Amino acid sequence: MNGQPTLPTPGPEVSPVLIQLLKGVVYQERHPGIWQDLVTFQGPVRNYFSVIGLELLLDETEGFAFLRQVEGAGSDDETEDESALPRLISRRPMGYPLSLLCVLLRKKLAEFDAKGGATRLVLSRKQILEMMHVYMPPQKNEARTVDVINTTIKKTMDLGFLKKMDSDDHQYEVGRIIKALVDADWLKKLDTLLNEYLEYASRDN
C-alpha cells in the first residue's frame, strides 16, 4: 500500500454497460444483455460514476436506466468555482411545443395509471395532434401547425418518450421513462402549466 487514493475499477464485463449508459438510456427491451449485466453489476457501476458526479437511476420494474448529474455536483460555468466538477450532462432547454407535449403525455400517463388494468399506453397520431392543437398558438396556415406538431412528435421519439408501434406507423406507445424525467413536483403543477399554455395559445400572433 502506497497510501495513494484509488479509483473504482470495474471489470471488463462492465465496460459495455458503462459505454451504453454514456451514450444514453439503457432499456431492458432494447438491450437485454447490457441490461442483465447492469442489474448484476449495478454496485460497481454506481461507484464508478459517482466519482465524476453522476448517479445511476435504474428502474427494474419499468425496465430503463440512465445517468443524471448529482444535484449540486456540477457547474455549467467552469470559471465560477474551480473546485466544482464541470457539468457532464448539459441542461438543454426545451422549446414550447416540446415541453407542452411532454406535459400532456405525463398527464395522460398519470390518468392512465390511475385507472389500472393495462400497462401500455398507446396513442394515435390523431390523438396527439388533437391534444396539442388546443394549446398551440393560432397560425394563418393550419398546415404549419400540423408540421410543428409532427416535428415535435419526432423529437419526443428521439428522447424516448414515444415509441412507434411496429404494427401501425400511426400508433405510439408512451415511454414510461417520462415518469422519471417529468418528476412528481412537475406533475403537481401540470394543471397550472396547461392553463399557462392555454393562455399562451390564445394570444394573438
Side-chain angles (χ1 to χ4, degrees):
M1 298 292 291
N2 57 14
Q4 294 296 318
T6 59
L7 297 177
T9 307
E13 69 279 0
V14 182
S15 295
V17 176
L18 304 179
I19 293 169
Q20 191 63 50
L21 282 166
L22 288 169
K23 290 171 66 177
V25 181
V26 173
Y27 292 98
Q28 181 178 13
E29 182 179 347
R30 296 184 197 173
H31 318 99
I34 295 289
W35 177 263
Q36 186 56 54
D37 287 341
L38 173 57
V39 171
T40 302
F41 300 107
Q42 60 179 288
V45 170
R46 290 183 190 279
N47 292 338
Y48 179 84
F49 283 119
S50 68
V51 174
I52 53 176
L54 299 178
E55 66 176 331
L56 171 68
L57 274 76
L58 187 152
D59 191 320
E60 294 188 52
T61 302
E62 303 291 0
F64 62 77
F66 61 94
L67 299 172
R68 74 176 178 187
Q69 196 89 34
V70 175
E71 192 67 28
S75 171
D76 292 309
D77 184 0
E78 295 181 22
T79 63
E80 184 179 300
D81 182 358
E82 292 184 358
S83 66
L85 293 172
R87 176 169 287 278
L88 293 174
I89 301 177
S90 59
R91 295 188 179 99
R92 294 184 177 90
M94 295 189 294
Y96 173 74
L98 184 55
S99 60
L100 168 64
L101 183 52
C102 287
V103 168
L104 290 172
L105 291 177
R106 183 65 182 90
K107 182 177 177 65
K108 199 77 174 176
L109 187 59
E111 294 170 348
F112 177 79
D113 286 345
K115 294 178 181 177
T119 58
R120 302 173 70 186
L121 172 58
V122 177
L123 299 173
S124 67
R125 179 179 290 271
K126 181 180 179 181
Q127 286 176 298
I128 297 173
L129 286 169
E130 290 174 348
M131 281 167 46
M132 289 193 67
H133 197 278
V134 177
Y135 300 94
M136 294 296 291
Q139 299 276 355
K140 293 180 180 178
N141 185 353
E142 182 63 22
R144 171 59 182 160
T145 298
V146 174
D147 286 344
V148 170
I149 294 176
N150 284 333
T151 299
T152 304
I153 290 174
K154 185 178 183 305
K155 289 180 180 178
T156 310
M157 290 174 61
D158 292 340
L159 290 172
F161 295 163
L162 284 175
K163 176 186 176 184
K164 189 177 291 186
M165 301 292 288
D166 294 334
S167 57
D168 190 337
D169 282 348
H170 298 287
Q171 298 280 330
Y172 301 87
E173 180 180 353
V174 178
R176 303 192 74 84
I177 189 173
I178 200 170
K179 292 177 64 177
L181 299 179
V182 180
D183 59 22
D185 288 338
W186 197 9
L187 187 58
K188 293 177 183 177
K189 301 173 184 176
L190 280 180
D191 289 335
T192 300
L193 283 169
L194 290 176
N195 286 334
E196 290 175 356
Y197 288 149
L198 193 59
E199 181 181 349
Y200 175 79
S202 65
R203 297 173 187 168
D204 292 334
N205 289 346

